[in-house]
Amino acid sequence: MAGLVVVDTDLVIDFLRGRGQGAALVRELITTHRLRFTALTAFEIRLGSDFMDRKDVLLRLFRSRTLPLDLAAGLEAGRIHASLVEQGRGIGLADALQAGTCLRHELPFATRNRKHFERIPELELVDL
């Protein structure tokens, strides 16, 4: 794991709580300047009830590390979602958007939700 890594919202929450599988990984990725997020993770974290209490810290964390949900990522996410639904193995829109963004930027993804993301063979998953 030498390059940039996109982390899922569940790992960001671990980091913010200071415990769980994701906390150490996120800390390591911050220290080595390899941490990236999707715009969807920023959205999900903003929905959290304590966002405003940590707004400054969170904005510093996300600023310049968040990948956009652009046209290419959206189309990739749509392809993933449609294909998996057709197979009867859907993972939901949020997870499809996460995967589409990672594939568009050709970056690996770290998550505890391997069950969903393993359904996308071209997506590189990071072991925790």
Side-chain angles (χ1 to χ4, degrees):
M1 181 176 62
L4 300 175
V5 175
V6 179
V7 297
D8 201 355
T9 307
D10 57 355
L11 303 183
V12 176
I13 292 169
D14 286 354
F15 172 75
L16 294 173
R17 290 181 177 159
R19 63 182 186 276
Q21 288 180 299
L25 176 63
V26 171
R27 257 191 313 280
E28 174 194 338
L29 294 172
I30 289 171
T31 302
T32 58
H33 306 285
R34 296 180 299 130
L35 179 67
R36 293 298 178 270
F37 308 99
T38 68
L40 185 70
T41 290
F43 167 77
E44 290 176 334
I45 293 295
R46 173 58 184 94
L47 292 177
S49 60
D50 66 345
F51 175 82
M52 293 310 289
D53 295 338
R54 298 179 177 199
K55 180 180 175 184
D56 293 338
V57 171
L58 290 169
L59 290 177
R60 272 195 313 275
L61 187 64
F62 284 106
R63 194 170 284 122
S64 78
R65 292 183 179 108
T66 302
L67 303 170
L69 176 59
D70 60 10
L71 176 62
L75 291 173
E76 188 65 25
R79 179 193 66 77
I80 290 165
H81 187 271
S83 174
L84 291 174
V85 166
E86 184 177 287
Q87 298 170 36
R89 302 174 62 216
I91 60 172
L93 292 175
D95 287 350
L97 288 165
Q98 294 275 48
T101 301
C102 291
L103 290 175
R104 182 263 186 268
H105 292 280
E106 299 177 352
L107 293 174
F109 191 54
T111 182
R112 283 195 316 262
N113 189 6
R114 292 184 71 91
K115 181 180 172 186
H116 276 183
F117 292 99
E118 286 175 340
R119 298 175 192 178
I120 307 163
E122 63 271 33
L123 180 62
E124 179 185 349
L125 295 177
V126 174
D127 291 327
L128 300 181

